[in-house]
Amino acid sequence: MSALLVVIVVIVLLGGGIWGWPLLAGILGISSVTDKAGALKYIAQLMNTYNITPSDIETAFNTQDSASSETDKRSKGDIARTLFAYLGAIFILAGISTYIGMFWDSMGSLMRVLITLGVGYILLIVLICALHENKFPKLILPLTLASVFMMTGGWFVLIHELYPRGDSWREAVLFVCAVMALHQGALFGKYRQTALLFTGLFFIYSFLEVGLEMLGVPIAYIAIVLGASVFLVGTALEKTPHSVLSEPALLIGVCWLNSGLFDRISFFTSPNWASLITGLCIILTSYGMHKAGRYPRLIALGYFLGSIMAYGGLFDLVQNSYIELIYLAVTAAGLYICVLLQSRALLLTTVVAMLSFIVYFSEEHFANSLGWPVTLVLIGVAFLAVGAIALKVKQRF
């Protein structure tokens, strides 16, 4: 029952990674295009992000029919061979996992190392053969992940069996990350696969994180330095064959960097100021991407999260003070910025922030006044009328 639960959790996590990002993109209005101008703008952003030229599009259109005809001509033997290869790999891993779960406690130290680290290196040999033959490109990613998982766990098992009473987990993590980084770095240097670059970067930054922590560097400064480094790596990956890693690297770098900034600013000032300043930093980062015309999903997500932090921090700072109404002015300016940037994610948070403040201010100062709601309605009607007049004037010009 526990094994079934683990499988379900893994499937849910993988499904969240695959489908959660497009779903969030759709909620923020990134991929929903309602007119031709919006479609062209979105296409231009994608072309800038992935360095696509008009000639590439023409080539893709010309080769689309030939590629589909080649796909139709694939023999049933090739399809069956690929299918049975996937099924065989799945059942082998399932059998090994079941065996480990059932007999782990009764195994000796040598058997535990062989069943984990040994299987990991067998998978590594299979991966190297697949990379060398270059006949099954779709198996590279699952083989890479399976070998990395088994080898990493195997090295930890080996260390635990050699030093059963050791309590320095950081040294163990540092050693395993160093070994795995060397493995993945050597393979990437030989075969130049994106999956190997991803795993190599993962172990390198894990090694740096634990190593700097062991040297006594505060975690906040580690986050700032490594987050900025990941952001620069993501920027450098844009114009390489591994540009698919650029967007996740930029996202991780921004989150990591700003988490460190939030901690340091909160330490020297207060959480309110930290939320406001960090939110503004995220918004400015998104604006820089917006001006470059790249990564529309990151832009919308940055505007969304950054504005939530900025509005939340500002409200806590001005609440119950004599400059409380400055919050309404800031949200009004935010609406103007939304119109200029045409960002629906920023518009959503700005509208919610303005309405929430109006409701709060009304309950705080005009709880029993009938004239205040009527005044708000009249102000709203006036704004609608001004907007309609402005639209008609624009149409005439």
Side-chain angles (χ1 to χ4, degrees):
M1 187 66 182
S2 59
L4 179 61
L5 180 61
V6 171
V7 173
I8 293 174
V9 170
V10 171
I11 293 174
V12 171
L13 291 176
L14 290 176
I18 295 172
W19 301 108
W21 181 260
L23 179 62
L24 182 60
I27 294 173
L28 297 180
I30 304 166
S31 59
S32 57
V33 180
T34 58
D35 55 3
K36 184 176 181 179
L40 291 174
K41 181 179 179 181
Y42 183 65
I43 292 171
Q45 287 179 333
L46 290 177
M47 292 176 67
N48 289 331
T49 299
Y50 299 103
N51 296 317
I52 300 173
T53 62
S55 60
D56 295 332
I57 297 176
E58 184 178 359
T59 303
F61 272 109
N62 293 333
T63 58
Q64 184 176 7
D65 295 334
S66 61
S68 60
S69 62
E70 290 178 1
T71 303
D72 295 336
K73 292 179 181 178
R74 290 181 62 191
S75 65
K76 294 182 180 180
D78 292 337
I79 297 175
R81 184 175 60 180
T82 304
L83 176 61
F84 283 114
Y86 278 115
L87 289 175
I90 291 172
F91 276 98
I92 289 172
L93 291 177
I96 294 173
S97 302
T98 304
Y99 180 81
I100 293 174
M102 293 175 61
F103 301 104
W104 182 261
D105 293 334
S106 60
M107 293 180 188
S109 297
L110 180 60
M111 190 61 183
R112 290 175 181 174
V113 174
L114 290 176
I115 204 68
T116 53
L117 189 60
V119 171
Y121 275 95
I122 291 174
L123 290 173
L124 178 63
I125 294 172
V126 175
L127 172 63
I128 294 174
C129 293
L131 289 169
H132 185 72
E133 295 294 333
N134 198 21
K135 291 183 179 180
F136 303 98
K138 293 183 179 179
L139 290 178
I140 299 303
L141 178 59
L143 278 175
T144 301
L145 296 179
S147 62
V148 164
F149 178 78
M150 293 301 297
M151 285 192 297
T152 304
W155 277 111
F156 279 117
V157 170
L158 176 61
I159 293 173
H160 178 71
E161 296 298 331
L162 292 177
Y163 305 99
R165 297 183 179 180
D167 56 355
S168 181
W169 64 269
R170 289 184 177 86
E171 293 181 0
V173 172
L174 195 69
F175 173 78
V176 173
C177 288
V179 172
M180 294 303 300
L182 290 175
H183 273 301
Q184 303 305 305
L187 287 175
F188 175 73
K190 175 66 176 179
Y191 297 105
R192 300 292 177 177
Q193 292 288 327
T194 302
L196 299 173
L197 176 61
F198 170 76
T199 53
L201 289 174
F202 174 81
F203 286 112
I204 288 172
Y205 278 100
S206 300
F207 176 84
L208 292 175
E209 166 86 17
V210 177
L212 291 174
E213 188 176 349
M214 290 179 64
L215 292 175
V217 180
I219 296 180
Y221 292 121
I222 296 175
I224 293 173
V225 173
L226 296 185
S229 174
V230 173
F231 188 87
L232 293 177
V233 169
T235 304
L237 288 173
E238 288 183 2
K239 297 181 180 180
T240 67
H242 316 288
S243 58
V244 68
L245 297 179
S246 181
E247 191 171 16
L250 292 174
L251 176 62
I252 294 172
V254 169
C255 295
W256 208 356
L257 169 63
N258 284 282
S259 66
L261 289 176
F262 181 90
D263 182 85
R264 290 297 88 188
I265 296 172
S266 176
F267 177 79
F268 290 109
T269 56
S270 66
N272 301 333
W273 279 107
S275 180
L276 175 61
I277 296 174
T278 306
L280 290 176
C281 290
I282 296 175
I283 292 174
L284 291 176
T285 304
S286 302
Y287 178 71
M289 295 182 182
H290 182 91
K291 294 294 289 183
R294 293 176 178 269
Y295 303 109
R297 295 187 295 188
L298 288 182
I299 293 170
L301 186 62
Y303 282 148
F304 182 76
L305 298 179
S307 58
I308 289 177
M309 295 183 66
Y311 286 137
L314 180 62
F315 180 79
D316 288 338
L317 287 172
V318 302
Q319 186 180 12
N320 296 324
S321 65
Y322 62 92
I323 59 171
E324 201 172 43
L325 286 175
I326 197 175
Y327 190 85
L328 187 62
V330 170
T331 53
L335 284 177
Y336 176 73
I337 295 173
C338 292
V339 175
L340 292 180
L341 298 179
Q342 298 181 354
S343 171
R344 281 176 284 183
L346 186 58
L347 177 63
L348 172 64
T349 56
T350 303
V351 169
V352 171
M354 179 177 284
L355 289 176
S356 301
F357 178 79
I358 291 174
V359 171
Y360 156 78
F361 192 82
S362 302
E363 293 180 352
E364 191 75 16
H365 302 284
F366 302 96
N368 299 317
S369 175
L370 180 61
W372 178 247
V374 176
T375 303
L376 292 177
V377 172
L378 293 177
I379 292 174
V381 172
F383 275 119
L384 290 176
V386 171
I389 294 172
L391 180 61
K392 290 182 178 180
V393 172
K394 182 179 179 181
Q395 290 176 349
R396 290 183 180 180
F397 288 98

